[in-house]
Amino acid sequence: VPLALSYRLPHFLVEPEDKYIVKNKPVTLTCRSTPATQIYFKCNGEWVHQDDHYIEHSVDPATGLPVMWVTIDITRQQVEKIFGLDEYWCQCVAWSTTGTQKSQKAYIRIAYLRKNFEEEPQSKEVALDQEVSLRCHPPEGVPPAEVEWQRNEDLVDPASDPNFVIMPDHNLVIKAARLADTGNYTCVAKNIVARRKSNSATVLVFVNGGWSTWTTWSSCSAVCGRGWQKRSRSCTNPTPLNGGTSCDGQNVQKSACVATCPVDGGWSEWSKWSACGADCSMWRSRECTQPSPGTGGKDCQGLDLQSLNCTSEQCPQSESEDVALYVGMVAVALCLTLLLIVVVLVYRRKKEGLDADVADSSILTTGFQPMGIKPSKPENSHLLTIQPDLTTTTTSYQGTLRSRHDATAKFSMTNGPLLDPLPNGSHTLHNGKLNPDPAEFVSRFSTQSYFKTLPRDVANTSYGTFNFLGGRLTIPNTGISLLIPPEAIPRGKIYEIYLTVQRKEDLRLPLAGCQTLLSPVVSCGPPGVVLSRPVILSMDHCFDACLDNWAVRLKKQNYEGTWEDVLLMGEELVSEPFYCQLEAETCRLFSEQLGTFAVVGESLHMGAAKRLRLVLFSDAYCSTLEYNIRVYCMDDTQDVFKEVMQMERQLGGRLIDEPHVLLFKDSYHNLRLSIHDMPQAHWRSKLLAGYQEIPFYHIWNGSQRYLHCTFTLERLSLSTCELTCQLCVWQVEGEGQSFTDTPFLVMDSNATALAGPSAFQIPYLIRQKICSSLDAPCPNGADWRMLAQRLKLERYGHFFASKASPTSGILDLWEAQHFHSGNINQLAAVMADIGKQEAMIFLVSDGDC
């Protein structure tokens, strides 16, 4: 060995390194030095006992110098002895002939990883392409934990997907959120001791809806005249996903349009006859030019060339032919004369029979007896020319107006009946006798083919037997009636006719777009009966009756069960079998056919409004601290209100406020309800939110007959029996209404079926005289046109003019409008004003009866 190498200071070939004790497993420290004569470990300033060292000797092959190896084991107990005072360290010390050398310190630590994260990621809902930051602070540990991220248990690798970035502080950043980034994200911390997972954080990437481009405008709905056209767009650009907001605004736009009417061709005047030709015929012609057909109109019907035999010098006629011609003409004249005599005799005999029939049915003796009205004697008493028989009576009575209780701002939870009972069963005038058994009608016609259109709900069905004298069917408390005018049923025919309300949920009434049901679905039948004149079907509707805001159609169900549009209101044609008079709350349909009808509307713009009826009920008996207030939202028609009243009676409910009417606009906004101003010392609301909301489409489409929501209140003591509060109802972004008034109820208890004279205000013979007096046109205008003007029905003049007896149509409509409230005195005054004294309108007061 070279002398220079043997006398230098020792240096360390291997120095001890930092170690971690995992659980109870000891760690080994190693030290290697050359040249060295001795080598030992010193830990925390103290020498390690010689017996704890393991020493080996060897020779470095490169230098030939001696090499010493030394190792020691450090246990967990050794480290824990100085825990909290200082860190545990060890150092290697080597000696040689020239001096001493110390190695670097090696620190021995106990490894651990705590269970709880100092900060865990939180769930987030973010919009598409938005940046997302998920925070994570791993648990404390020795050595410090490494962090990685998982999505749905799969490792997130920023190297393969640059949209992910793991920051130095261990937070995960998603640069631009994609739909594929939706998932459950977990922060994972690990070291040599353990592996910990945080709670998963859900990242939901939502997409807000966007409108597509508008479609092109549709063709005009009207073939001729005023109509509407629409265009639409869809919320698909993009489609809302994962709870994203829907598009704001309308998906349908409507615009008024005017369609060019087709022009049917018309014939010009005939030309002059040509000269008699050699073939004993002459000709004339015309052209289809006044006007010429256009815009899809029809061509002229008939011949454009006409010929006629003629006699001239070129076609001489013999005397024998002339004699035969004259004899034939005389024979024809004699036959026509005899036929005319026979017709006159038959007509006179039938008229005598009619007079006898009228007398037998007591039309003349019954006279006119007003229903529940006591008119005063008119000044023009000279019109009373026919004396009535005061021994007969009618078969109906007038309902009463009943107030629930005195007006007060409070209502109490007392016991008592909700309403007076409705009439028990249906009363039907069958062949002049009352038939109190509704089931008899159902069983008697259950085998008929048309009976499939009649529901089994006899409580909402009226029926009766009628002949040419006519009559009336009424469903109490629904506003629905059917007037069968005199002569509507052909003479010699007897029909059993029914009238019923169909439940909307039992029918598949197709509604498309912005269409909504505006009336009850009413059936009258049997379908297919022959009528000589239109009947008048009256039913409530629930819209603002402004045809500028609506396209309103009458739908009729055919024999196959499908629905057809039979009438567009405002554009009725007198040639059609249907005609409609629209009033503020009632629709009166002139129909030459019986069947199932409904009124359907489609709003033309957002100004269109439906009338809703809002009704409040509560429990009649309350023995617990909880108290429920039920608020019904329904179409403003009497039939739905009647159904709700019957249902609440079965539930034991009571009406606590007068029904209110609210205009509900086609604005796509929901209906919101809330309760305010309760005495907090005695009551509290159990509703978590500040209000309840009914979606717009649940109300607008009309598929559900009524909707309701319940407010559950709690009184703080059973001794509290009075509640004062205010219920506010409004359409979002619209005006509201509050309910404070005291309720009342009108009970309609009239007979459901009236046949013959008792069904009409005007006696049959007097009606005939009025018609014969006013039907004929009068030069000074004192005819049916003046009657329509005085009764404010002149806007339907073109319809009345199309009938054989315009006056009869006017009186039919007057009867349908004024059955309960008609004042015959006013009608008599109108006739006197027109100057038709001979019409002989007569009056009978209740006192005279």
Side-chain angles (χ1 to χ4, degrees), residues 249-492:
Q250 292 182 325
N251 64 337
V252 177
Q253 277 188 348
K254 296 182 180 179
S255 176
C257 59
V258 177
T260 304
C261 298
V263 178
D264 295 337
W267 290 113
S268 64
E269 296 293 332
W270 286 103
S271 64
K272 295 183 179 181
W273 287 102
S274 65
C276 189
D279 56 351
C280 293
S281 62
M282 53 184 178
W283 303 85
R284 66 175 180 176
S285 63
R286 57 181 178 175
E287 295 180 350
C288 188
T289 57
Q290 293 187 0
S292 299
T295 323
K298 298 178 181 179
D299 290 332
C300 299
Q301 302 295 320
L303 300 175
D304 60 351
L305 191 64
Q306 194 176 52
S307 64
L308 184 66
N309 292 334
C310 59
T311 301
S312 67
E313 295 178 355
Q314 296 154 341
C315 295
Q317 301 293 324
S318 64
E319 292 185 1
S320 59
E321 291 177 346
D322 293 340
V323 172
L325 177 62
Y326 294 146
V327 171
M329 294 176 61
V330 171
V332 170
L334 289 175
C335 292
L336 291 176
T337 303
L338 291 175
L339 180 60
L340 180 60
I341 293 173
V342 171
V343 170
V344 171
L345 291 176
V346 172
Y347 173 79
R348 293 182 63 183
R349 179 168 297 180
K350 285 189 175 181
K351 191 171 189 313
E352 292 174 359
L354 171 62
D355 294 339
D357 290 341
V358 172
D360 291 340
S361 60
S362 301
I363 295 175
L364 290 174
T365 58
T366 301
F368 168 70
Q369 300 182 13
M371 311 292 293
I373 301 173
K374 188 173 182 179
S376 60
K377 290 290 185 177
E379 297 179 359
N380 46 351
S381 58
H382 60 277
L383 298 179
L384 307 181
T385 58
I386 298 180
Q387 298 298 325
D389 185 354
L390 305 182
T391 61
T392 59
T393 59
T394 58
T395 59
S396 64
Y397 59 95
Q398 189 74 11
T400 59
L401 180 68
R402 182 176 68 86
S403 177
R404 285 182 47 81
H405 50 74
D406 295 335
T408 177
K410 299 181 179 180
F411 55 89
S412 59
M413 295 173 286
T414 57
N415 301 333
L418 174 63
L419 297 172
D420 292 337
L422 292 174
N424 184 18
S426 300
H427 300 279
T428 303
L429 192 63
H430 180 70
N431 292 331
K433 298 181 180 179
L434 284 175
N435 179 13
D437 185 11
E440 189 271 338
F441 174 77
V442 174
S443 62
R444 184 154 39 86
F445 289 99
S446 59
T447 59
Q448 300 293 330
S449 60
Y450 61 77
F451 189 75
K452 63 184 179 181
T453 63
L454 179 63
R456 269 51 176 180
D457 184 10
V458 295
N460 290 317
T461 301
S462 176
Y463 56 91
T465 304
F466 304 95
N467 59 10
F468 76 97
L469 293 175
R472 185 189 305 266
L473 291 175
T474 303
I475 303 178
N477 305 308
T478 63
I480 299 172
S481 64
L482 178 69
L483 180 73
I484 307 168
E487 306 292 345
I489 298 176
R491 290 176 178 267

Side-chain angles (χ1 to χ4, degrees), residues 56-116:
E56 293 183 3
H57 297 273
S58 64
V59 177
D60 187 352
T63 62
L65 294 176
V67 179
M68 294 188 68
W69 290 70
V70 62
T71 60
I72 62 171
D73 291 333
I74 305 298
T75 65
R76 184 184 185 100
Q77 289 77 10
Q78 291 176 279
V79 177
E80 287 179 345
K81 284 182 180 180
I82 62 168
F83 181 77
L85 299 177
D86 198 0
E87 287 190 296
Y88 192 91
W89 57 269
C90 291
Q91 189 178 40
C92 187
V93 181
W95 287 270
S96 69
T97 57
T98 59
T100 305
Q101 192 72 15
K102 296 180 180 180
S103 71
Q104 66 180 7
K105 291 182 178 180
Y107 291 90
I108 297 91
R109 301 178 178 91
I110 299 175
Y112 66 91
L113 183 63
R114 300 194 184 278
K115 292 184 178 180
N116 296 327

